[in-house]
């Protein structure tokens, strides 16, 4: 049989149908936005002739990034198949012979996300490819429709702040489908230093949600790059907006985009986490904001918070800290780079606290790894473990310069909270991060009590072992938040 190329007059991307079918229609239906590993349909209208099975030929090339390469997985060439194959880039004709040809096209379920050019014969189309948590072959697959509604499609949420005695719900508009937000999220990826150094390799990395979540963790703060937010935890907020005044991510992301990628002022932990959640959901990664009350910040990786008092019982400032609360995000994904059974929720923290591989980012680390104490896992397992499990050791610093241990207490990592699926209620997920044994809700007061009070410490520890934090409030009189 002769091999005849089709004479294509125009293409219809069927955006209304495809975007609705791929659950991207909230972004609008004026352009093609699809999810990987799931077929989409385009219609070819021929100038002359008709499609004849076995006679007509059609070739396809899908490319993403400025340096598309088959070696990097950012370029794929393929032809027509009898049926579409959802395990790889493929295409099949689904219409009878005629002057209109209906094509089903499918991307590989591990294709890099981002902007694509698809060459169909001599014609070119553009589309955006996202992660697909509805696709079993995608690394972000989540097999629960209600969770997908909450963690991918919901634009409104609740973030918990306040104290562990009184968690306070804060409404937040994630706004991941608002006009222009997806383009801004893709611009964030294209602004990261790894892309600027080697765009081909960076775009190739976008097939992997582990890589993308790590890039986002670094790019939501501006400490090493042209990131979105500048943090501020003390003093006034002149020259910017107080973190307490933000009510959603949309204004923050649009400000960053319109101001030539200059950092938006100012953020604290819940703002960093909320923006990271918006970007994750926009790109198709299931995501939720998590709040850890009495959250430790271990600066020297010894899994211990060291506090120093003088001989009068007054607190001497130390680098290690405990915050009233701290917020991060969890992304849902598989972890083929780790041993089995560590798939699922992964902690990622965009608030700049400590450097990871030379950059202010944190994660992703499996929540289960924190619970099981798997501290050799990448990325940043010891730091996150300390946030929820560190012991607090208080030393007395004497006038002669010597120090002696006064007490050890376990107080951090209380009421770890997130919004409940399909409800504004608080869900306590502490049990996902730590075992209850040996983790009593006990706060031993050693920071700001007088020296005389320390003499009664053992007595108080025994008598009030099962009492709550309220019995020892003075240690926490200084309010800290991240």
């Amino acid at each position: 049989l002769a091999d005849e190329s089709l004479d294509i007059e125009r293409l219809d991307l069927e955006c209304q149908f495809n975007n609705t079918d791929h659950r991207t229609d909230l972004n609008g239906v004026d352009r093609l936005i699809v999810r990987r590993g799931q077929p989409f349909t385009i219609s070819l209208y021929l100038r002359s002739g008709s499609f004849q099975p076995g006679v007509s030929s059609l070739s396809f090339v899908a490319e993403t990034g400025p340096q598309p390469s088959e070696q990097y997985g950012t370029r794929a060439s393929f032809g027509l198949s009898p049926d579409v194959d959802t395990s790889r880039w493929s295409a099949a004709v689904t219409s009878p012979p005629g002057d209109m040809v209906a094509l089903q096209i499918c991307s590989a379920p591990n294709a890099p996300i981002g902007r694509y050019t698809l060459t169909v014969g001599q014609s070119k189309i553009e589309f955006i490819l996202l992660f697909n948590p509805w696709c079993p072959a995608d690394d972000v697959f989540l097999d629960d429709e209600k969770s997908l509604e909450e963690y991918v499609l919901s634009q409104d949420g609740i973030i918990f702040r306040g104290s562990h005695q009184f968690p306070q719900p804060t409404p937040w508009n994630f706004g991941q489908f608002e006009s222009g937000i997806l383009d801004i999220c893709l611009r964030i990826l294209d602004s990261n230093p790894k892309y600027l150094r080697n765009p081909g390799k960076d775009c190739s990395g976008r097939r992997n949600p582990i890589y993308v979540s790590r890039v986002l963790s670094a790019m939501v703060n501006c400490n090493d790059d042209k990131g979105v937010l500048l943090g501020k935890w003390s003093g006034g907020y002149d020259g910017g907006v107080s973190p307490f005044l933000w009510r959603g991510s949309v204004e923050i992301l649009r400000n960053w985009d319109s101001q030539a990628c200059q950092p938006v002022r100012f953020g604290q932990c819940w703002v960093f986490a909320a923006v990271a959640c918006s970007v994750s959901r926009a790109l198709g990664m299931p995501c939720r904001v998590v709040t850890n009350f009495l959250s430790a910040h271990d600066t020297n990786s010894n899994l211990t918070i060291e506090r120093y008092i003088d001989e009068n019982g007054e607190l001497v400032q130390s680098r290690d800290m405990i915050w009233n609360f701290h917020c991060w995000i969890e992304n849902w994904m598989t972890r083929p780079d780790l041993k089995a059974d560590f798939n699922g929720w992964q902690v990622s923290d965009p608030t700049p606290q400590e450097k990871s591989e030379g950059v202010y980012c944190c994660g992703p680390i499996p929540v289960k790894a924190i619970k099981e104490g798997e501290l050799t896992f990448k990325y940043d397992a010891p730091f996150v473990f300390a946030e929820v499990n560190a012991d607090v050791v208080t030393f007395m610093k004497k006038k002669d310069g010597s120090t002696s241990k006064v007490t050890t207490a376990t107080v951090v990592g209380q009421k770890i909270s997130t919004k409940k699926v399909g409800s504004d209620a608080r869900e306590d997920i502490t049990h996902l991060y730590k075992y209850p044994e040996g983790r009593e809700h006990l706060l031993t007061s050693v920071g700001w009590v007088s020296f005389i009070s320390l003499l009664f410490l053992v007595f108080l520890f025994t008598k009030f072992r099962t009492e709550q934090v309220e019995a020892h409030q003075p240690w926490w009189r200084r309010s800290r938040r991240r």
Side-chain angles (χ1 to χ4, degrees):
L1 293 176
D3 185 9
E4 297 180 2
S5 297
L6 295 177
D7 185 13
I8 302 170
E9 180 179 15
R10 65 182 178 90
L11 296 87
D12 187 339
L13 303 186
E14 310 290 355
C15 297
Q16 175 80 54
F17 172 80
N18 288 319
N19 290 13
T20 302
D21 190 46
H22 285 244
R23 300 174 179 85
T24 63
D25 51 306
L26 289 174
N27 288 296
V29 293
D30 57 328
R31 57 181 174 164
L32 184 59
I33 304 172
V34 294
R35 299 186 186 275
R36 61 187 194 172
Q38 179 177 342
F40 59 94
T41 300
I42 64 173
S43 300
L44 311 183
Y45 291 89
L46 305 182
R47 185 177 290 105
S48 61
S50 63
F51 175 78
Q52 299 296 328
V55 177
S56 304
S57 69
L58 200 56
S59 62
F60 305 85
V61 180
E63 298 176 310
T64 185
Q67 301 168 358
S69 157
E70 293 191 7
Q71 175 188 354
Y72 278 146
T74 51
R75 184 180 192 272
S77 301
F78 52 101
L80 286 174
S81 305
D83 297 291
V84 74
D85 182 350
T86 58
S87 69
R88 60 180 180 86
W89 285 96
S90 61
V93 174
T94 60
S95 58
D99 59 3
M100 191 282 285
V101 182
L103 287 174
Q104 264 203 339
I105 299 172
C106 190
S107 64
N110 63 345
I113 64 163
R115 299 182 188 278
Y116 273 81
T117 299
L118 178 66
T119 304
V120 183
Q122 301 300 313
S123 304
K124 291 184 183 292
I125 66 171
E126 294 182 349
F127 67 96
I128 293 174
L129 187 66
L130 303 178
F131 289 114
N132 191 354
W134 286 270
C135 174
D138 195 309
D139 284 342
V140 300
F141 174 63
L142 176 56
D143 191 18
D144 184 271
E145 194 62 39
K146 289 185 178 179
S147 294
L148 289 165
E149 288 282 341
E150 181 74 50
Y151 300 135
V152 180
L153 300 179
S154 177
Q155 297 194 83
D156 298 308
I158 298 288
I159 300 171
F160 292 93
R161 293 161 41 191
S163 68
H164 73 286
Q165 299 105 321
F166 303 107
Q168 296 297 316
T170 301
W172 194 271
N173 173 32
F174 294 108
Q176 67 268 27
F177 300 115
E178 292 286 331
S179 176
I181 295 301
L182 178 56
D183 296 287
I184 295 170
C185 295
L186 296 175
R187 187 179 186 185
I188 290 172
L189 295 182
D190 288 349
S191 301
N192 94 81
K194 293 179 180 180
Y195 177 87
L196 300 177
R197 284 194 299 267
N198 188 336
K201 187 176 181 181
D202 177 76
C203 287
S204 175
R206 296 179 192 180
R207 69 180 67 195
N208 187 346
I210 301 168
Y211 180 86
V212 173
S213 68
R214 194 152 172 80
V215 166
L216 293 182
S217 174
M219 284 299 297
V220 170
N221 71 72
C222 67
N223 287 43
D224 311 284
D225 43 49
K226 293 185 176 180
V228 177
L229 278 160
L230 176 65
K232 198 170 195 296
W233 288 270
S234 61
Y237 301 106
D238 293 342
V241 176
S242 165
F244 300 93
L245 296 180
W246 298 117
R247 294 293 178 264
S249 305
V250 174
E251 184 180 0
I252 294 170
L253 290 167
R254 286 177 177 165
N255 286 351
W256 176 81
D257 183 58
S258 65
Q259 295 168 10
C261 306
Q262 292 300 304
V264 178
R265 302 166 185 259
F266 296 98
Q268 290 186 15
C269 68
W270 69 94
V271 185
F272 286 106
V275 170
C277 183
S278 297
V279 179
S280 295
R281 291 182 182 181
L283 298 177
M285 288 191 289
C287 187
R288 64 187 185 183
V289 177
V290 171
T291 303
N292 178 39
F293 290 97
L294 297 182
S295 187
H297 179 170
D298 177 22
T299 58
N300 56 6
S301 302
N302 66 353
L303 309 183
T304 300
I305 302 302
E306 292 121 345
R307 302 177 72 88
Y308 296 87
I309 58 172
D310 61 22
E311 290 178 294
N312 295 319
E314 295 296 322
L315 182 68
V316 179
Q317 184 66 39
S318 65
R319 290 191 64 215
D320 289 346
M321 290 163 283
I322 298 177
W323 306 101
N324 283 354
F325 68 91
H326 179 58
C327 297
W328 55 69
I329 63 168
E330 293 173 359
N331 288 121
W332 182 274
M333 67 186 76
T334 61
R335 289 303 298 266
D337 58 323
L338 302 177
K339 60 186 183 183
D341 300 326
F342 288 90
N343 301 329
W345 289 117
Q346 315 284 319
V347 173
S348 183
D349 191 349
T351 298
Q353 296 186 88
E354 300 295 326
K355 287 190 174 184
S356 173
E357 297 181 339
V359 177
Y360 278 102
C361 65
C362 179
I365 180 71
V367 171
K368 186 176 180 182
I370 303 306
K371 183 171 183 175
E372 300 299 332
E374 294 280 4
L375 303 188
T376 60
F377 283 6
K378 56 183 184 183
Y379 300 90
D380 312 303
F383 183 81
V384 179
F385 180 87
E387 288 184 299
V388 301
N389 264 320
D391 286 329
V392 181
V393 180
T394 301
F395 298 89
M396 180 181 292
K397 202 166 190 178
K398 300 178 181 177
K399 292 179 180 177
D400 62 6
S402 63
T403 60
S404 60
K405 184 189 293 188
V406 177
T407 186
T408 301
T410 304
V411 300
V412 304
Q414 303 292 320
K415 288 188 178 177
I416 304 175
S417 304
T418 192
K419 178 187 177 297
K420 196 171 184 179
V421 171
S423 164
D424 287 345
R426 183 181 71 88
E427 180 180 0
D428 193 307
I429 58 172
T430 308
H431 64 285
L432 299 180
Y433 280 84
K434 53 201 292 187
Y435 288 100
E437 295 80 15
R439 300 298 180 190
E440 296 85 357
H441 295 274
L442 173 70
L443 182 57
T444 307
S445 173
V446 295
W448 289 358
V449 297
S450 67
F451 177 68
I452 295 175
S453 298
L454 292 174
L455 300 177
F456 298 99
L457 190 59
V458 175
F459 169 75
L460 292 174
F461 182 89
T462 303
K463 184 176 181 181
F464 300 109
R465 183 174 178 82
T466 60
E467 291 191 5
Q468 297 295 317
V469 169
E470 288 84 349
H472 304 291
Q473 183 65 25
W475 191 32
W476 305 98
R477 190 177 300 149
R478 174 182 289 184
S479 174
R480 291 187 180 274
R481 58 181 73 83
R482 288 306 297 258

